[in-house]
Amino acid sequence: MALGRLSSRTLAAMLLALFLGGPALASEIVGGRPARPHAWPFMASLQRRGGHFCGATLIARNFVMSAAHCVNGLNFRSVQVVLGAHDLRRQERTRQTFSVQRIFENGFDPSQLLNDIVIIQLNGSATINANVQVAQLPAQGQGVGDRTPCLAMGWGRLGTNRPSPSVLQELNVTVVTNMCRRRVNVCTLVPRRQAGICFGDSGGPLVCNNLVQGIDSFIRGGCGSGLYPDAFAPVAEFADWINSIIRSHNDHLLTHPKDREGRTN
Amino acid sequence: MTPSISWGLLLLAGLCCLVPSFLAEDVQETDTSQKDQSPASHEIATNLGDFAISLYRELVHQSNTSNIFFSPVSIATAFAMLSLGSKGDTHTQILEGLQFNLTQTSEADIHKSFQHLLQTLNRPDSELQLSTGNGLFVNNDLKLVEKFLEEAKNHYQAEVFSVNFAESEEAKKVINDFVEKGTQGKIAEAVKKLDQDTVFALANYILFKGKWKKPFDPENTEEAEFHVDESTTVKVPMMTLSGMLHVHHCSTLSSWVLLMDYAGNATAVFLLPDDGKMQHLEQTLSKELISKFLLNRRRRLAQIHFPRLSISGEYNLKTLMSPLGITRIFNNGADLSGITEENAPLKLSQAVHKAVLTIDETGTEAAAVTVLQMVPMSMPPILRFDHPFLFIIFEEHTQSPIFLGKVVDPTHK
């Protein structure tokens, strides 16, 4: 999440909040905010050598969804998928970590960032619990409408040239269809503030009405520019494809119950 | 009586030898002109690449703890021009020192290629902010060969000055004024002292302050540490740029490679060695590898931290070129009979090369357009140019190395 420069009004609001004894970083007053631990149990972190580089979404017990550009040109065997995480700098007993068995793309164009979606098959199945759950996806073609409020989340940088947070951040954003330069993307803006997604947020979910409608993809003009919307891959346009992959590769797994148990961390 | 007769005979013999040479050169040049009306600068780019790296290695050998910065194109141009007026060993040494093989490239083609290259670099309409010049300063009692003057001006855009070297301060002023004027005041005192017996001097300068096609944002520049060596750090203004950049890691060089385009068809190749790998980089570097980088570009998401700097190099060309085998032109055995009419014993007494480069945030007016480039939001690799690195700046059309440098301490001007 990128935080904009504080306006005097925002500063006044913060001071007022402090004076009243409430939390300094109140909702919708300053850009992103730390999420409550495991508030979004489908949220995943993609890592290499222990370093987070992209977000992802758990869409089935053995599949996560992310941005295709996150794994483009990468040896996917070097990638680890971490579920049940909140503070990336601490040891957390809630975590489940997997390797990547296979990746599926759908006509990804890296130069134009078109079809920026990847389905990652894990080398085992996640154990579903309070901290790890599967996200709900929209039906095919049932995208999100203009001005819909949504929530973006991730462990990405707090600004173009600022460091990454340790705990998961979340941010209220609004869909802005008319300001989108390409109709193939879902686009969002934070009204009247400089906030949005940033480096490391790619691949993470955009949640609208409890459905994952977008995958963090790209920005223009710098993180949290306040002028140019953030762009997401439109999950609803890929829903049937996603479901067909899950179905066709879940069946194979179910026929080997011992193997399935052996793969679980 | 007898000694006088001997001298006369020797003089006559010399004159006889000159006549066929002149005629031969004229014939060759005419033939070549008819065959090839559009010489390709690419013919010399390969040689200039070899020359650049040879010279660089010589400079590293002299000192591996100093900034290095020179213009291979500028220096080669100066000596190629001098080859127009030299003969015998003096002539041979120059062309071989510049890595030219006359069995592969004719001399006429070499000079045409340099002409084309200089025209490209100095085009008035070019966005390349490059100022370069060659000045020849000859004692006022020497009469210059008209042919040499004509060729030096036509092919090499050289300016020739008649000066009174007996008046040392006045002569020095003429040389320094030439360089200062050509560099818009950036290089004020190219020559600090003239040798007592100077009768012929060369001043060669090049100044560059380019505009990036994809600029840095000055608002992101902040002070940071640059590690000169294990125990020395200096504070520098560090610029920052994120986006889709031409970046990759070369395992052969053990270095990150960053390509940055300037407006006006120039490209800078920055080579950032992994820790402890500078010597490996310097030993492994080759023009073939760099050509490969220039040809196989691929954008990827990256963030770079790069020091704002102004770097200059000032070299005594006698000291610089001797290790490459160019020695005779500087000593009493020099044959520069193509430059002066009398058989006066002429040698290049003083030759100075001065190069200045500024690297800052500046972009072109159209730079704002690049801010609308789509930037994917995965976590980028970060290249921190906070320890010594190399760079080469190329003119794109000819792939000629305009500059070659090593930044050890960016606070040294």
Side-chain angles (χ1 to χ4, degrees):
Chain A
M1 301 297 138
L3 303 176
R5 287 174 288 273
L6 294 180
S7 66
S8 58
R9 182 164 180 172
T10 304
L11 183 60
M14 288 180 65
L15 292 173
L16 184 61
L18 282 171
F19 180 75
L20 294 176
L25 300 178
S27 171
E28 294 182 328
I29 293 181
V30 179
R33 57 185 181 266
R36 177 176 56 80
H38 313 294
W40 313 107
F42 45 76
M43 184 72 202
S45 166
L46 300 187
Q47 302 184 3
R48 295 178 73 203
R49 290 185 289 272
H52 168 88
F53 67 93
C54 274
T57 305
L58 187 68
I59 57 174
R61 290 175 58 201
N62 57 328
F63 287 96
V64 296
M65 175 175 72
S66 185
H69 79 256
C70 289
V71 296
N72 188 43
L74 218 61
N75 173 12
F76 66 74
R77 286 170 190 80
S78 65
V79 177
Q80 286 199 315
V81 180
V82 181
L83 305 170
H86 177 67
D87 187 334
L88 295 184
R89 279 181 209 140
R90 306 183 67 174
Q91 301 285 323
E92 296 173 314
R93 271 181 279 174
T94 55
R95 289 191 198 173
Q96 301 180 39
T97 303
F98 298 88
S99 295
V100 174
Q101 179 159 297
R102 188 171 167 180
I103 61 176
F104 302 84
E105 289 180 1
N106 192 331
F108 172 57
D109 178 346
S111 65
Q112 298 295 322
L113 293 173
L114 289 167
N115 305 316
D116 194 10
I117 178 171
V118 65
I119 303 301
I120 298 174
Q121 184 172 13
L122 309 179
N123 72 334
S125 283
T127 301
I128 305 301
N129 56 38
N131 308 310
V132 173
Q133 291 181 19
V134 173
Q136 287 185 266
L137 304 183
Q140 178 72 30
Q142 299 298 307
V144 63
D146 191 35
R147 299 180 201 253
T148 302
C150 302
L151 197 76
M153 61 195 70
W155 286 279
R157 297 225 192 123
L158 299 173
T160 304
N161 299 296
R162 295 184 58 196
S164 300
S166 54
V167 305
L168 182 68
Q169 305 284 307
E170 61 186 35
L171 174 71
N172 293 98
V173 299
T174 302
V175 174
V176 287
T177 304
N178 292 334
M179 294 178 68
C180 213
R181 280 181 52 147
R182 301 195 314 194
R183 291 307 159 101
V184 293
N185 288 109
V186 175
C187 295
T188 67
L189 205 57
V190 179
R192 295 177 292 279
R193 264 188 291 133
Q194 291 175 289
I197 62 174
C198 200
F199 297 118
D201 286 324
S202 274
L206 177 72
V207 182
C208 317
N209 300 322
N210 292 315
L211 300 174
V212 177
Q213 287 282 6
I215 301 168
D216 298 25
S217 184
F218 66 87
I219 64 157
R220 297 182 202 268
C223 300
S225 68
L227 293 171
Y228 308 105
D230 297 337
F232 301 76
V235 174
E237 303 307 309
F238 298 95
D240 286 348
W241 171 70
I242 297 168
N243 288 321
S244 71
I245 290 177
I246 295 176
R247 276 196 303 271
S248 63
H249 291 88
N250 252 340
D251 293 346
H252 177 77
L253 196 67
L254 288 173
T255 60
H256 299 86
K258 289 185 180 179
D259 185 41
R260 190 191 76 182
E261 288 174 2
R263 288 170 189 262
T264 305
N265 281 20
Chain B
M1 203 63 166
T2 303
S4 297
I5 293 174
S6 293
W7 266 112
L9 287 173
L10 285 173
L11 182 61
L12 285 172
L15 287 173
C16 289
C17 291
L18 284 177
V19 172
S21 296
F22 267 102
L23 291 177
E25 281 181 15
D26 285 340
V27 170
Q28 283 172 3
E29 200 159 311
T30 303
D31 286 349
T32 307
S33 295
Q34 288 168 359
K35 285 180 213 168
D36 180 12
Q37 291 296 327
S38 51
S41 303
H42 295 281
E43 290 186 48
I44 57 174
T46 292
N47 307 88
L48 291 176
D50 288 327
F51 168 69
I53 292 176
S54 298
L55 204 50
Y56 177 83
R57 291 194 168 123
E58 191 55 43
L59 287 167
V60 169
H61 182 70
Q62 288 172 24
S63 168
N64 67 355
T65 58
S66 304
N67 287 349
I68 291 172
F69 182 62
F70 64 96
S71 171
V73 159
S74 195
I75 295 172
T77 300
F79 279 85
M81 172 179 63
L82 291 173
S83 79
L84 284 173
S86 60
K87 300 181 192 304
D89 277 352
T90 306
H91 178 265
T92 305
Q93 283 184 357
I94 291 176
L95 294 180
E96 288 181 357
L98 298 182
Q99 315 285 309
F100 286 111
N101 183 341
L102 290 183
T103 62
Q104 289 174 0
T105 313
S106 78
E107 200 170 331
D109 280 345
I110 291 172
H111 297 304
K112 280 187 167 61
S113 295
F114 272 109
Q115 179 182 33
H116 180 257
L117 174 56
L118 286 172
Q119 285 169 351
T120 301
L121 293 180
N122 288 318
R123 268 191 10 244
D125 62 321
S126 174
E127 288 183 282
L128 210 59
Q129 309 246 302
L130 194 67
S131 302
T132 181
N134 283 306
L136 286 173
F137 305 85
V138 189
N139 205 40
N140 55 8
D141 65 355
L142 296 171
K143 181 152 172 47
L144 299 175
V145 174
E146 200 59 39
K147 181 171 186 287
F148 171 78
L149 278 176
E150 196 173 313
E151 288 183 345
K153 287 176 180 175
N154 290 342
H155 285 87
Y156 293 94
Q157 303 177 16
E159 292 181 59
V160 184
F161 299 81
S162 186
V163 301
N164 182 7
F165 279 109
E167 295 291 334
S168 189
E169 284 301 310
E170 183 184 316
K172 192 176 74 169
K173 185 175 188 300
V174 172
I175 299 175
N176 287 339
D177 284 355
F178 164 74
V179 176
E180 183 169 6
K181 181 186 172 188
T183 61
Q184 302 130 41
K186 296 290 201 310
I187 304 177
E189 199 179 14
V191 173
K192 295 171 177 60
K193 185 179 80 73
L194 281 174
D195 292 343
Q196 188 69 34
D197 60 349
T198 302
V199 294
F200 180 38
L202 164 76
N204 166 258
Y205 68 81
I206 185 164
L207 168 77
F208 182 53
K209 186 193 171 309
K211 290 180 174 179
W212 302 112
K213 280 186 178 174
K214 185 177 176 62
F216 296 83
D217 183 350
E219 285 198 14
N220 293 331
T221 301
E222 56 189 34
E223 197 166 68
E225 287 190 339
F226 187 97
H227 304 271
V228 175
D229 55 43
E230 292 84 1
S231 57
T232 311
T233 62
V234 293
K235 285 292 209 295
V236 295
M238 195 70 82
M239 309 181 293
T240 298
L241 179 65
S242 305
M244 300 302 286
L245 307 173
H246 298 293
V247 162
H248 79 282
H249 188 270
C250 174
S251 53
T252 303
L253 294 177
S254 300
S255 302
W256 279 100
V257 181
L258 164 69
L259 274 63
M260 294 272 294
D261 287 328
Y262 284 104
N265 297 308
T267 295
V269 180
F270 296 105
L271 303 164
L272 181 67
D274 299 335
D275 285 345
K277 291 291 186 178
M278 171 60 84
Q279 197 172 341
H280 170 82
L281 165 59
E282 287 171 328
Q283 288 168 356
T284 316
L285 187 63
S286 70
K287 69 175 192 295
E288 288 83 10
L289 265 173
I290 297 172
S291 286
K292 199 181 297 180
F293 300 150
L294 289 169
L295 289 174
N296 304 321
R297 299 193 189 210
R298 197 175 307 141
R299 284 187 200 277
R300 64 178 287 192
L301 180 65
Q303 181 172 69
I304 63 173
H305 298 273
F306 198 97
R308 188 201 298 150
L309 60 87
S310 181
I311 186 173
S312 67
E314 180 180 351
Y315 298 98
N316 176 332
L317 290 171
K318 178 176 179 179
T319 306
L320 189 65
M321 302 301 277
S322 293
L324 299 190
I326 300 180
T327 55
R328 192 167 289 272
I329 193 172
F330 296 106
N331 64 39
N332 292 330
D335 184 344
L336 292 170
S337 53
I339 294 180
T340 56
E341 287 189 357
E342 298 87 22
N343 261 356
L346 185 68
K347 69 177 181 182
L348 186 57
S349 313
Q350 192 114 356
V352 62
H353 169 67
K354 184 104 182 193
V356 177
L357 170 72
T358 299
I359 296 182
D360 61 17
E361 296 93 339
T362 310
T364 60
E365 306 298 331
V369 173
T370 65
V371 84
L372 295 186
Q373 185 184 35
M374 295 183 296
V375 180
M377 287 288 100
S378 58
M379 196 68 80
I382 301 177
L383 276 66
R384 298 185 188 278
F385 287 81
D386 63 0
H387 56 278
F389 59 92
L390 304 192
F391 66 92
I392 306 162
I393 299 179
F394 288 92
E395 198 280 326
E396 281 276 33
H397 286 151
T398 58
Q399 288 213 356
S400 303
I402 306 172
F403 294 105
L404 177 53
K406 174 185 186 180
V407 177
V408 175
D409 182 343
T411 62
H412 282 173
K413 292 289 179 186

